[in-house]
Amino acid sequence: MKKSNVYSIPALKRLPAYLRELKRLQAEGQLRVASPALARALHIDTIIARKDMEMLGVVGSPGVGFRVEELIDGIETFLGWKNSSEAFLVGTGDFGRALLGYSGFAAYGVRIVAAFDPDPVEEGLEIHGVPVFGLSHFAHYTGRLGIHIGILCVPDDDAQKTAELMVDSGILAIWNFTAHTLQLPEHIIRQRVNLGGDLAVLSVKLAEKLRERKENP
Amino acid sequence: MKKSNVYSIPALKRLPAYLRELKRLQAEGQLRVASPALARALHIDTIIARKDMEMLGVVGSPGVGFRVEELIDGIETFLGWKNSSEAFLVGTGDFGRALLGYSGFAAYGVRIVAAFDPDPVEEGLEIHGVPVFGLSHFAHYTGRLGIHIGILCVPDDDAQKTAELMVDSGILAIWNFTAHTLQLPEHIIRQRVNLGGDLAVLSVKLAEKLRERKENP
C-alpha cells in the first residue's frame, strides 16, 4: 500500500463527491465512466480528475474509461471505509444530537456507536438509536471497543479538558465542533469545524460587498 | 471605515474566540486586558494577538492594555454584528433542523428568521420557534425582508438548483452545508462546511497512523 502515502488534502476532500456520483451511475446501471464525465459532475477540470484517479491507483482503459465498480472499490479502500470506522461522540446538546441524527455519515463509512455526556445521563437513554452514557464511562468503552475517533461537541469552555480525556483514553483522531483551538500532543489527528469562524468570514465579506454596492450603485 | 478592508482570514476566524474570552472577562467584572493574556486564552503567540488588535483598530494603553468593553465593541463592529445579520435556511432535514435549534448562532450575531423546504410544508409549521415555508415562497420573502444570507442544507443532489434559486432571489452570501461544489456567479460569497470531505481527511490520516504503529510498535 505504498500509493496511499501520496495524497493531497484537496484531492481527499473530493473523494466523497466522486463516490456519490459513482454510486449514482451504478444505480443507473452504468458500468463504465471516463474522466471527463466525472470532471463535469464535480465541476472540476478533467486534468484534476485524471490526477485524482492516478492517486487512487485505479487504471482505466483508453477510450472506454474506468469500471464504475472498480473506482468505487478503489475510493473506499483508499479511505479505509471498507471497514466502517467507529466513533464516539461527546456532548449531546443541540449540535451533538444533530450529528447523531445525521444519516449522512453512514455514506462516508463512519458509524457513531455511542455518545457520552458530562451531565448525568438516565440509564438506557438513546438518541436516534445511539446509546448515551455518562462521560465517566468514556475511557472504559474506548479501550474495550478499540475506538480511535472522537467527535467533540461539548460547550466551548469544556473543549480542552474533554479532548484531554479523549486522548488519555486512547483516541487518536478528534473531530472538533467547538470554537476552541485544542492544545494536544502533536501526534493527535485533528479536524475542525469552526462554525463561528465561518460566520465571521461570511459576515465581513458580506458587509464589504454591501458597502461596495452603496458606493457604486 | 478604511481599516476594515484590511484583514486576514485566519484573523477573522479568531475573532469569535476573542469575543468569547472578552465576554467571560466582562462577566467577571474585569475592565482591562493586555495582549499576552488574550494570547494565552487563545493558545496563540502574543505577536499574533497584537496584530489582530491592530487590525481591529483598537488602541491600548502601554502597561494597562485594552479596555474590555472597547475591544468587544471593536470586534462586533468589525464583524458587522452590531446589527444582527438575518439569514434564511433552506432544507429542514436532520442537519437543517439541528442548525435551527443551535443557539450558538445568536452569539455570533446571526439570526435565522425563517426556514424553507422543497417538500410540501403544512401551514403554520415551526421548528425550534422558526417558521417554515414552502420553497416557492423563498423569492418573495427574500425581497420583502431584504435577506442576504442563505444557509443551504438540502440533499446534495438539490444543492446546485437551490443555490441558483437563492442567487436569483437576491441572496449574496451562501453558507453551504452540502457535499456539492456550487457553480455560481463570481460575486456570490461562499463558505462551505464539507463534513464528508473532513471525514475523508480524518480517515486517511488515521489509517496512516495505525499503519505506522503496526510497523513500528
Side-chain angles (χ1 to χ4, degrees):
Chain A
M1 287 282 285
K2 199 156 181 300
K3 249 173 259 121
S4 58
N5 286 321
V6 185
Y7 58 80
S8 81
I9 299 291
L12 283 185
K13 293 202 170 196
R14 279 189 293 272
L15 293 185
Y18 285 119
L19 205 52
R20 190 162 54 93
E21 173 63 9
L22 289 163
K23 288 194 169 168
R24 197 185 63 76
L25 294 174
Q26 195 176 45
E28 282 181 356
Q30 204 173 310
L31 298 179
R32 291 195 166 268
V33 65
S35 326
L38 281 175
R40 265 195 309 279
L42 270 78
H43 304 290
I44 54 173
D45 221 81
T46 302
I47 295 169
I48 292 176
R50 279 213 184 98
K51 286 213 161 176
D52 290 347
M53 298 305 116
E54 224 169 82
M55 174 184 84
L56 293 171
V58 177
V59 182
S61 311
V64 290
F66 302 94
R67 285 186 49 226
V68 170
E69 202 187 325
E70 201 177 322
L71 266 187
I72 290 176
D73 192 74
I75 292 175
E76 290 185 340
T77 304
F78 195 90
L79 291 173
W81 287 352
K82 289 297 275 190
N83 311 315
S84 164
S85 307
E86 295 184 327
F88 278 170
L89 178 144
V90 179
T92 59
D94 287 330
F95 215 82
R97 269 164 200 274
L99 292 183
L100 290 175
Y102 183 53
S103 51
F105 293 143
Y108 299 129
V110 169
R111 212 162 63 85
I112 303 177
V113 289
F116 297 84
D117 205 273
D119 289 331
V121 172
E122 55 174 307
E123 179 113 15
L125 177 66
E126 290 194 356
I127 298 175
H128 296 293
V130 178
V132 184
F133 305 102
L135 193 54
S136 58
H137 299 287
F138 188 85
H140 172 72
Y141 281 118
T142 303
R144 210 175 98 188
L145 299 181
I147 303 291
H148 296 301
I149 301 178
I151 304 176
L152 189 65
C153 298
V154 295
D156 296 341
D157 290 336
D158 298 338
Q160 180 64 31
K161 68 168 190 257
T162 310
E164 286 170 10
L165 168 76
M166 284 181 167
V167 170
D168 291 343
S169 306
I171 290 292
L172 292 175
I174 294 183
W175 202 12
N176 177 13
F177 279 85
T178 77
H180 190 80
T181 305
L182 301 171
Q183 297 297 105
L184 295 172
E186 191 104 352
H187 73 277
I188 300 296
I189 299 159
R190 269 153 283 192
Q191 195 72 24
R192 168 125 173 244
V193 179
N194 180 0
L195 297 179
D198 280 359
L199 270 180
V201 175
L202 205 70
S203 298
V204 168
K205 286 187 178 171
L206 179 60
E208 201 173 37
K209 176 81 60 191
L210 292 172
R211 207 157 46 231
E212 270 171 33
R213 284 204 165 184
K214 220 180 265 171
E215 284 162 13
N216 314 295
Chain B
M1 286 282 283
K2 200 156 180 299
K3 250 174 261 124
S4 58
N5 286 322
V6 185
Y7 58 80
S8 81
I9 299 292
L12 282 185
K13 292 202 170 194
R14 280 190 292 273
L15 294 184
Y18 285 119
L19 204 51
R20 190 163 53 94
E21 173 64 10
L22 289 163
K23 288 195 168 168
R24 197 185 63 76
L25 294 174
Q26 195 177 43
E28 280 180 357
Q30 203 172 310
L31 298 178
R32 291 194 166 269
V33 64
S35 326
L38 281 176
R40 264 196 308 279
L42 270 78
H43 305 289
I44 54 173
D45 221 81
T46 302
I47 295 169
I48 293 177
R50 279 214 184 98
K51 287 213 161 175
D52 290 348
M53 298 306 116
E54 223 169 83
M55 175 183 85
L56 292 172
V58 177
V59 182
S61 311
V64 291
F66 302 94
R67 287 186 48 228
V68 170
E69 202 187 326
E70 202 177 323
L71 266 188
I72 290 176
D73 193 74
I75 292 174
E76 290 185 338
T77 304
F78 195 91
L79 291 174
W81 288 352
K82 290 298 275 188
N83 311 315
S84 164
S85 306
E86 296 185 326
F88 278 170
L89 178 144
V90 178
T92 59
D94 287 329
F95 215 82
R97 269 164 199 276
L99 292 182
L100 290 174
Y102 183 52
S103 51
F105 292 142
Y108 300 130
V110 169
R111 213 163 61 84
I112 303 177
V113 289
F116 297 84
D117 205 274
D119 290 330
V121 172
E122 56 174 304
E123 180 113 13
L125 177 67
E126 289 194 354
I127 298 175
H128 297 292
V130 178
V132 184
F133 306 102
L135 193 54
S136 58
H137 299 287
F138 188 85
H140 172 71
Y141 281 117
T142 303
R144 210 175 98 187
L145 300 181
I147 303 292
H148 296 301
I149 301 178
I151 305 176
L152 188 64
C153 298
V154 295
D156 295 341
D157 290 336
D158 298 338
Q160 179 63 32
K161 68 168 189 259
T162 311
E164 286 169 11
L165 168 77
M166 285 181 167
V167 171
D168 291 343
S169 306
I171 291 293
L172 291 176
I174 294 183
W175 202 12
N176 176 14
F177 279 85
T178 77
H180 190 80
T181 305
L182 301 171
Q183 297 296 104
L184 296 172
E186 192 104 351
H187 73 278
I188 299 298
I189 298 158
R190 270 155 281 192
Q191 196 71 24
R192 171 126 172 242
V193 179
N194 181 0
L195 297 178
D198 281 359
L199 270 180
V201 175
L202 205 70
S203 297
V204 168
K205 286 186 178 169
L206 179 61
E208 201 174 38
K209 176 83 58 190
L210 292 172
R211 206 155 48 230
E212 270 171 34
R213 283 204 164 184
K214 220 179 265 172
E215 285 162 12
N216 314 296

